[in-house]
Amino acid sequence: MSLTTQTIEALIKLAIVAGGVMTAAMYLVLVERKMAGWIQGRLGPNRVGIPLTKIRLFGLGQPVADALKLILKEDVTPAHVNRRIYNLAPLIIMTAAVSVFAVIPFGSIIPGEGLGRENPIPLVVAPGIDVGMIFVFALSSIAVYGVILGGWASNNKYSFLGALRSSAQMIAYELPLGLGLLGVVLATGSLQLEKVIGVQADTGIWFALSQPLGFVVFVVAAFAEAARLPFDLTECEQELVAGFHTEYSGMRLVLFLTAEFIHMITAAFLIVILFLGGWHFWGLTGGSEDAVTWLGAIVRIVVFMIKILAVILFFMLVRWSWPRFRFDQLMNLAWKMMLPLGIVNLIAVAIAVEMSASAGASLPWIVYGWIVAVVAWMVTAVCSPLMTDNTARVGDATVGAPLEKAG
Amino acid sequence: MRHDDPAVTWVEEPKLGLAGKMYLPLFVQGLAVTTKHLVSRKVTISFPEERPEIGNPLIYRGVHRFNKDDQGRVKCVACFLCATACPAHCIDIVGIESPWPDREKYPESFQIDELRCIFCGMCEEACPVDAIELTSLFDLTGRSREEMIFDKEKLLSVYDQTKDAEPMKSKSLGGTV
Ligand code: SF4
Ligand code: SF4
């Protein structure tokens, strides 16, 4: 295989992924608005269809109209900002968000024969990267830079507070996220995302089944990393106007918002790949080493996309189900619950991998994983580290006590 | 406020049960509620194409109309009771001697400023001959303030427009004529 065909192949995949992710982000905004409407008893956006006609198509034109509106809007740069960093921040966050997809598979493999290749083509832009997961995590940490720089350069107290919160939150949740991930890495023995799917497909046991505790920890942390409700402290409208992007408008704002949506998509991809078996479904897709036909390849892609859509819909449903955490509760949850639970999970998985012949993928070890999860969860619940009750109560001498005069 | 003030009642927060402390049960409960709303019937409609259902048009308080009697004359006797009752002072009447033998006066001009009106229905309550009534038309619009001052002719035309859908309330509710 010459270098050029490799380049062309990578470029085609790149176009598919970048285009797909962008379009998906646009349409997911519509889905989110629709869901919001339905849950609140409204119909949601349903007017925009084909322009100049009466055809409405259930509002499918809405994303295009939104994009046009935002592009045509005036891009205000306030006078008091640090111009260079202000312009740089949205670019950083967007670049980081999109580059993650270089190592994230969006399907399994497609047969190469029809395309003049002897080997099957893996459906990932950069196949076989051994440090795939580290790459994902490094890039999603860089996204925080975009947030902090944006908040800092805006020279606005709301932006700054949002950025500060964001950095604290990201640091707090990177740890449980990593711990949830480590369990999977231990069980597969690889940092390669394709490999993780492969292991789950071969054993037929998704890691959500064998490591339920790690799954819960990872999902909660993923919500926080994507800054979705109930963890959207970085931009809670009621307190911070819009958080770190208060001063942004026009195209730059679009970059921020899209990047946020892409973070959610990334989180959904990771959850599905790491814990929900990727493209695997029992009896439909076969193992990772089996030869695939075109039909098989398409079935795998469809299964994969359905799972991802389901996770994203779950994200959206949660958004309208739960109120936002207070900041101290958020920190408590990370440091007092998620971190210990993550460590417990890691130890449990280590024991399972060490003791069992199948690296924890047999029935007794699944039962063991669930027992660990339930017991650990109960213990944390009974110790209730999340209780941050700071209401005034009877006998609290500080209530109503006269203020001491200074000096 | 002092904490030992006898006038102060202290309310303690209820203690969380095990389900509350475990978080996940309540989380699932919350999801169940939103899912129920997700699939339940929506309360909004696509307005101009779909019209909302008005429960009982007879007691709805929308745009006014001026009723006509069986000879097609305006029923109003220019008694000024509605103008007196109106809390928003939006009824303006000029009464002159009536050309008909059955009443002394009738309105030469009768204007309601629909922009000032608060649609309280007091005029309807006050009218001794049930000449003024509120219909169930709710989406009145206009391009200027002047257009929204409804005069006698316009109010009578509202009657022509709505008389079939909404019979005169006076009859169905046991009123005068
Ligand atoms: S509905 Fe009330 S405010 Fe309107 S004209 Fe009648 S009395 Fe006046
Ligand atoms: S509408 Fe009724 S209350 Fe008003 S002036 Fe005429 S008769 Fe009197």
Side-chain angles (χ1 to χ4, degrees):
Chain A
M1 183 166 57
S2 68
L3 200 59
T4 34
T5 46
Q6 213 170 3
T7 320
I8 291 173
E9 189 187 301
L11 281 178
I12 292 175
K13 287 187 209 162
L14 201 61
I16 295 175
V17 171
V21 168
M22 289 299 189
T23 321
M26 267 170 78
Y27 271 89
L28 285 176
V29 174
L30 178 66
V31 173
E32 170 133 49
R33 292 178 60 183
K34 275 276 192 196
M35 292 260 297
W38 289 335
I39 289 174
Q40 294 164 356
R42 297 182 282 118
L43 292 172
N46 62 354
R47 298 256 155 189
V48 189
I50 302 169
L52 305 180
T53 63
K54 295 250 184 239
I55 303 166
R56 280 201 185 151
L57 297 174
F58 317 105
L60 283 180
Q62 188 72 40
V64 184
D66 283 351
L68 267 182
K69 183 199 89 173
L70 283 164
I71 289 171
L72 294 179
K73 263 196 162 173
E74 186 186 359
D75 193 352
V76 185
T77 309
H80 55 72
V81 301
N82 183 333
R83 241 161 234 277
R84 227 173 287 157
I85 303 182
Y86 178 85
N87 290 338
L88 193 62
L91 295 183
I92 292 181
I93 196 168
M94 191 68 189
T95 318
V98 179
S99 340
V100 171
F101 280 89
V103 295
I104 294 183
F106 52 96
S108 165
I109 43 177
I110 51 173
E113 295 91 43
L115 304 172
R117 294 264 310 272
E118 58 269 38
N119 296 325
I121 304 169
L123 285 181
V124 48
V125 176
I129 289 199
D130 289 331
V131 291
M133 289 188 202
I134 298 181
F135 182 80
V136 172
F137 276 75
L139 278 176
S140 52
S141 307
I142 284 183
V144 189
Y145 266 94
V147 172
I148 296 176
L149 289 181
W152 176 262
S154 295
N155 202 356
N156 169 320
K157 55 184 179 245
Y158 294 118
S159 311
F160 188 53
L161 266 178
L164 276 184
R165 283 182 174 193
S166 169
S167 44
Q169 179 176 337
M170 297 285 169
I171 291 167
Y173 280 90
E174 209 98 298
L175 282 166
L177 200 69
L179 285 172
L181 183 86
L182 272 184
V184 174
V185 175
L186 266 186
T188 51
S190 165
L191 283 168
Q192 210 175 313
L193 290 167
E194 299 104 293
K195 206 63 170 292
V196 176
I197 304 180
V199 169
Q200 296 179 73
D202 290 339
T203 58
I205 291 168
W206 301 353
F207 286 125
L209 298 177
S210 56
Q211 308 177 9
L213 191 55
F215 178 58
V216 174
V217 170
F218 188 85
V219 170
V220 172
F223 267 89
E225 278 284 302
R228 296 279 303 176
L229 243 122
F231 303 113
D232 67 337
L233 273 292
T234 56
E235 45 178 297
C236 41
E237 288 84 359
Q238 292 85 350
E239 299 163 24
L240 295 181
V241 187
F244 62 91
H245 55 61
T246 305
E247 295 284 10
Y248 284 89
S249 54
M251 266 323 274
R252 295 202 188 96
L253 181 67
V254 182
L255 286 184
F256 270 126
L257 298 182
T258 322
E260 245 161 43
F261 244 85
I262 294 179
H263 280 154
M264 184 180 76
I265 301 175
T266 318
F269 263 94
L270 285 180
I271 290 173
V272 170
I273 291 173
L274 295 174
F275 287 98
L276 298 177
W279 43 258
H280 169 261
F281 199 86
W282 303 281
L284 264 183
T285 52
S288 64
E289 304 296 330
D290 305 353
V292 282
T293 55
W294 274 102
L295 183 67
I298 289 171
V299 168
R300 286 179 179 187
I301 295 177
V302 170
V303 168
F304 199 18
M305 293 302 146
I306 289 176
K307 281 185 193 172
I308 284 165
L309 192 65
V311 173
I312 289 179
L313 290 182
F314 175 70
F315 264 85
M316 291 175 178
L317 198 59
V318 167
R319 170 167 185 184
W320 302 109
S321 306
W322 259 26
R324 182 182 299 126
F325 278 74
R326 213 169 52 203
F327 200 69
D328 57 327
Q329 293 169 335
L330 183 87
M331 287 294 146
N332 271 339
L333 183 70
W335 296 108
K336 293 189 188 165
M337 270 186 91
M338 288 305 146
L339 192 60
L341 285 177
I343 294 173
V344 167
N345 174 61
L346 190 61
I347 294 171
V349 172
I351 293 174
V353 170
E354 203 49 45
M355 309 274 284
S356 77
S358 55
S362 54
L363 190 62
W365 289 103
I366 294 177
V367 176
Y368 154 83
W370 280 90
I371 292 175
V372 168
V374 172
V375 170
W377 195 268
M378 290 287 254
V379 169
T380 350
V382 173
C383 301
S384 60
L386 260 189
M387 305 288 275
T388 51
D389 182 6
N390 37 19
T391 46
R393 44 189 80 243
V394 197
D396 184 347
T398 53
V399 178
L403 288 178
E404 300 222 355
K405 287 259 162 58
Chain B
M1 184 193 81
R2 293 197 57 83
H3 70 274
D4 48 2
D5 189 335
V8 175
T9 318
W10 284 85
V11 181
E12 292 285 327
E13 264 179 42
K15 286 260 171 289
L16 274 185
L18 188 62
K21 284 185 181 172
M22 297 235 318
Y23 255 71
L24 284 186
L26 294 191
F27 176 64
V28 174
Q29 205 181 353
L31 279 187
V33 171
T34 29
T35 316
K36 204 175 75 205
H37 281 275
L38 188 66
V39 293
S40 65
R41 217 174 77 88
K42 305 295 167 265
V43 290
T44 55
I45 51 167
S46 292
F47 168 57
E49 299 85 32
E50 274 173 65
R51 310 285 301 183
E53 257 175 57
I54 287 175
N56 181 358
L58 287 187
I59 56 173
Y60 195 89
R61 302 205 298 262
V63 185
H64 307 78
R65 74 177 183 195
F66 227 21
N67 286 340
K68 293 181 185 169
D69 61 10
D70 36 19
Q71 299 168 38
R73 304 173 305 179
V74 44
K75 280 178 87 174
C76 175
V77 294
C79 68
F80 285 69
L81 278 179
C82 55
T84 313
C86 177
H89 301 302
C90 60
I91 305 184
D92 183 58
I93 311 171
V94 178
I96 55 167
E97 198 140 326
S98 149
W100 307 303
D102 57 346
R103 60 183 100 158
E104 283 169 20
K105 290 204 300 179
Y106 93 112
E108 183 189 34
S109 107
F110 189 103
Q111 290 184 333
I112 298 182
D113 187 346
E114 299 282 350
L115 286 181
R116 278 189 76 161
C117 173
I118 57 172
F119 299 98
C120 62
M122 293 305 241
C123 46
E124 182 178 12
E125 295 282 331
C127 184
V129 294
D130 294 323
I132 193 160
E133 274 181 355
L134 268 58
T135 62
S136 65
L137 300 181
F138 58 89
D139 52 342
L140 79 163
T141 53
R143 290 172 191 273
S144 64
R145 286 174 185 279
E146 289 70 40
E147 218 174 286
M148 296 299 282
I149 297 176
F150 280 27
D151 56 11
K152 196 168 74 177
E153 281 65 46
K154 198 149 179 185
L155 290 167
L156 285 169
S157 76
V158 177
Y159 171 75
D160 292 332
Q161 201 182 326
T162 55
K163 66 174 180 236
D164 300 324
E166 296 167 38
M168 252 192 278
K169 293 175 197 175
S170 44
K171 287 209 181 89
S172 55
L173 297 178
T176 42
V177 198

